[in-house]
Amino acid sequence: MRVGFVDEEPSGLALMVGGLIQQNLDRDPGRARHLDGSVVAIVAPDADVAVSIQLGPGEIEVADGVRPDAHLVVTASSDRLLHMTSSPLRFGLPDALSRHGREVLGHVLSRRVRIEGLVRGPHRLARLTKLLSVHESE
């Protein structure tokens, strides 16, 4: 499975997200089961950059910008986005039993990390975090 980039010259965030997903899939090909056709956007306002990720079965495409059909839009500072990828997971979400996981959940509850579409699609967020997490998949 390969991550593809839509843009001829992808942004740094697109390269980072795509590279992280590719590394995780190479290390654990079983993570491909989390590809469900969702479209997820990640926005880092402090870096003035956004990417959309099409998590289609059999393919992953990363494009700069926010697609209008995104099911989830995660907005956070670039350092908080990195912090989220290193949080231990429980059921695909940050583990509230760990200090690191509680910090991430605190950022979400305080709206320092905003997740549009979470109420309609918590399973999509869980699948995304399993693809992006540097920890072993459950």
Side-chain angles (χ1 to χ4, degrees), residues 66-136:
V66 177
R67 284 184 34 177
D69 61 339
H71 298 103
L72 287 176
V73 179
V74 179
T75 303
S77 63
S78 49
D79 62 321
R80 287 195 180 108
L81 289 170
L82 286 174
H83 193 66
M84 290 173 69
T85 64
S86 61
S87 175
L89 302 178
R90 184 174 299 266
F91 307 113
L93 300 173
D95 184 359
L97 299 177
S98 74
R99 181 185 60 78
H100 194 113
R102 285 189 302 274
E103 287 175 8
V104 170
L105 291 171
H107 293 314
V108 173
L109 292 173
S110 67
R111 305 226 358 114
R112 287 177 288 211
V113 172
R114 291 187 317 277
I115 305 172
E116 296 171 44
L118 179 59
V119 173
R120 290 184 315 272
H123 63 284
R124 288 187 168 110
L125 180 63
R127 289 173 185 257
L128 175 69
T129 57
K130 288 176 183 178
L131 286 169
L132 290 174
S133 177
V134 296
H135 293 278
E136 293 299 314

Side-chain angles (χ1 to χ4, degrees), residues 1 32 34-39 53-61:
M1 166 123 353
H34 302 301
L35 303 175
D36 64 351
S38 295
V39 177
I53 311 156
Q54 169 72 52
L55 301 171
E59 68 175 341
I60 302 163
E61 286 188 346

Side-chain angles (χ1 to χ4, degrees), residues 22-31 133-137:
Q22 186 66 63
Q23 286 174 347
N24 286 338
L25 288 170
D26 289 347
R27 190 176 69 235
D28 179 7
R31 289 188 190 205
S133 177
V134 296
H135 293 278
E136 293 299 314
S137 184

